[in-house]
Amino acid sequence: MPIKSNFLLSTLLVLLTTTFNSYCQGTTEFEIKLPEQPTAGAKYGKFRFVDQRNGPGLLGFVQTGALNRKSMVFDKIPIEQQLTKVFDALADKTKIGELLFQLRYCAFSEQTLSMNEHGFFVIRANVYAKKGDLYQSVFGIDTMIRVSAVDVTNKLLRTGGEAFVKLIDSGLKRDPRGKMYSFNDVVKIDSIEKKGFAAYDAKVLTDGIYNSSLSFFLQLPDSKIDSGINEIDNITFYTVNEKGKLRKLKATNCYSVVYKGDAYISYDGYFYKLARRDDEYLLSINLPVGTDPYTGTDVIPTSYGMAGGINGGAIGGLIGVTFDVAMKPRNKEIFIKLDHVTGKLMIQY
């Protein structure tokens, strides 16, 4: 069924860090300020970094200048080099222990609301300590940090840098207490985390209504679904009430529905069908894009406007430009995946 463009705009997690670069008027460098003092009681002297971001080097966007023009955030000095220098400044190099820092996602975004600017830094990372040939979990983090100011950009970038320093500092002081993984398992942590969830293991999903992401992942429906009718751009589901009559199921009243083995996620008053590919649940959408003749990057037209917002913790950001013939407009398929950690929709890079 066709997918409404507004759905995409409000669910993408910092669209500027996707497989294509949206049009931005300038760039802003992200640089982490090195700590001045080493970590007291540091337990590790060696450092290993695993970058599992999709689209390394692109870190979202900020707003710059009097007109709040979008500026792409990037790490001119690769983030691996920066974090290695942070570790070197904090660690006790006489220690033989190895700390592994796995960066799974990070991005900046800004919004202007009323007279204040609001900045958001999203990060997902895991920290491990090496034990023989294996790696034992020290801790993991999946969070969003929000800051506000009249001009928030510098404060936001500084906060992001401080977050990295605090994570490494915390890891250096802690003993591992979590699960043990091979290095191969670490780099496949998404697949490892999905094991045991029936939604990813089952060949056939269980029909029913699911009120939460947990009940969907565990495949424990909260109630029964009776029928579904495909309409022009949506599907309508029905349940039978206590009087034996069909009652329309409101999408706002549940998280998802499985009907005839197919999964549908609820969003903004509608149900959207999810496709299953390997160990992912994906929603696809075709967006018109054009190629900037000067930079060679893909851009989105202004007819889609500028969107940004906080949606259940997901940051959206999109800026468009006007197409002309030189941009060779065409459709591009974008994938949104169901995140197994948060149960929310995220861009598939």
Side-chain angles (χ1 to χ4, degrees):
M1 80 188 75
I3 303 298
K4 298 173 174 61
S5 61
N6 286 339
F7 174 74
L8 178 71
L9 300 186
S10 56
T11 57
L12 294 190
L13 188 58
V14 192
L15 185 58
L16 301 180
T17 58
T18 64
T19 47
F20 59 91
N21 298 331
S22 298
Y23 181 82
C24 282
Q25 297 171 314
T27 57
T28 298
E29 182 180 352
F30 173 60
E31 185 173 359
I32 302 172
K33 182 180 178 181
L34 292 179
E36 297 179 357
Q37 299 294 329
T39 298
K43 300 175 182 290
Y44 308 93
K46 298 179 181 179
F47 184 69
R48 187 170 188 176
F49 179 74
V50 175
D51 192 347
Q52 289 193 281
R53 295 174 296 158
N54 292 310
L58 302 179
L59 296 167
F61 69 91
V62 291
Q63 299 177 153
T64 61
L67 299 178
N68 283 337
R69 293 178 176 177
K70 300 293 181 185
S71 178
M72 182 80 72
V73 181
F74 75 106
D75 48 346
K76 184 177 181 180
I77 301 174
I79 201 163
E80 178 175 5
Q81 293 181 28
Q82 295 194 54
L83 293 181
T84 300
K85 289 180 180 179
V86 170
F87 179 88
D88 290 342
L90 293 173
D92 181 350
K93 303 298 279 188
T94 65
K95 303 294 185 181
I96 62 174
E98 178 184 307
L99 196 72
L100 186 151
F101 190 100
Q102 180 184 35
L103 182 59
R104 301 171 67 179
Y105 184 86
C106 69
F108 295 92
S109 182
E110 283 188 29
Q111 274 189 305
T112 300
L113 300 173
S114 299
M115 296 300 291
N116 274 352
E117 293 180 357
H118 300 272
F120 305 91
F121 177 62
V122 180
I123 183 168
R124 179 180 293 176
N126 292 350
V127 177
Y128 308 84
K130 191 172 184 181
K131 293 286 186 179
D133 294 329
L134 301 177
Y135 288 89
Q136 187 172 8
S137 176
V138 178
F139 65 83
I141 186 171
D142 181 17
T143 192
M144 179 180 71
I145 302 171
R146 175 173 177 166
V147 295
S148 300
V150 176
D151 185 356
V152 79
T153 298
N154 290 334
K155 184 178 180 181
L156 174 62
L157 296 174
R158 184 172 63 252
T159 299
E162 291 170 351
F164 279 112
V165 173
K166 290 177 181 177
L167 288 173
I168 293 178
D169 176 71
S170 179
L172 280 166
K173 294 183 288 189
R174 298 172 62 173
D175 291 315
R177 299 185 182 278
K179 294 181 179 180
M180 303 283 285
Y181 301 92
S182 67
F183 181 75
N184 186 55
D185 285 342
V186 168
V187 297
K188 295 181 178 179
I189 194 64
D190 280 359
S191 296
I192 297 296
E193 289 174 343
K194 291 172 184 175
K195 288 183 178 179
F197 281 133
Y200 293 99
D201 293 337
K203 293 183 179 180
V204 179
L205 298 180
T206 302
D207 282 10
I209 301 169
Y210 298 84
N211 293 337
S212 68
S213 58
L214 180 61
S215 64
F216 172 74
F217 290 143
L218 294 177
Q219 282 295 278
L220 298 174
D222 295 282
S223 54
K224 294 182 179 180
I225 188 72
D226 290 286
S227 61
I229 299 176
N230 282 305
E231 298 176 348
I232 296 176
D233 60 353
N234 189 41
I235 185 168
T236 300
F237 294 111
Y238 294 90
T239 61
V240 176
N241 63 19
E242 59 279 0
K243 296 181 179 180
K245 295 183 178 180
L246 285 178
R247 181 181 63 182
K248 181 178 177 180
L249 175 65
K250 293 183 179 179
T252 53
N253 289 345
C254 65
Y255 171 78
S256 65
V257 169
V258 174
Y259 180 64
K260 294 184 177 180
D262 292 324
Y264 299 81
I265 192 164
S266 164
Y267 182 81
D268 198 26
Y270 294 90
F271 289 103
Y272 297 91
K273 187 176 181 179
L274 297 173
R276 192 171 178 180
R277 180 186 298 174
D278 298 326
D279 65 347
E280 299 282 12
Y281 286 95
L282 302 172
L283 182 138
S284 67
I285 180 173
N286 287 316
L287 276 184
V289 299
T291 303
D292 188 324
Y294 301 102
T295 65
T297 58
D298 287 344
V299 294
I300 298 172
T302 48
S303 61
Y304 281 81
M306 184 185 297
I310 300 303
N311 174 37
I315 304 176
L318 174 65
I319 185 169
V321 296
T322 304
F323 279 167
D324 57 32
V325 176
M327 286 189 173
K328 301 177 181 179
R330 66 192 187 284
N331 284 334
K332 183 164 185 171
E333 189 175 22
I334 305 298
F335 290 98
I336 308 172
K337 74 173 182 178
L338 185 65
D339 181 42
H340 68 283
V341 176
T342 64
K344 297 173 183 175
L345 290 159
M346 294 177 64
I347 191 69
Q348 175 69 30
Y349 302 109

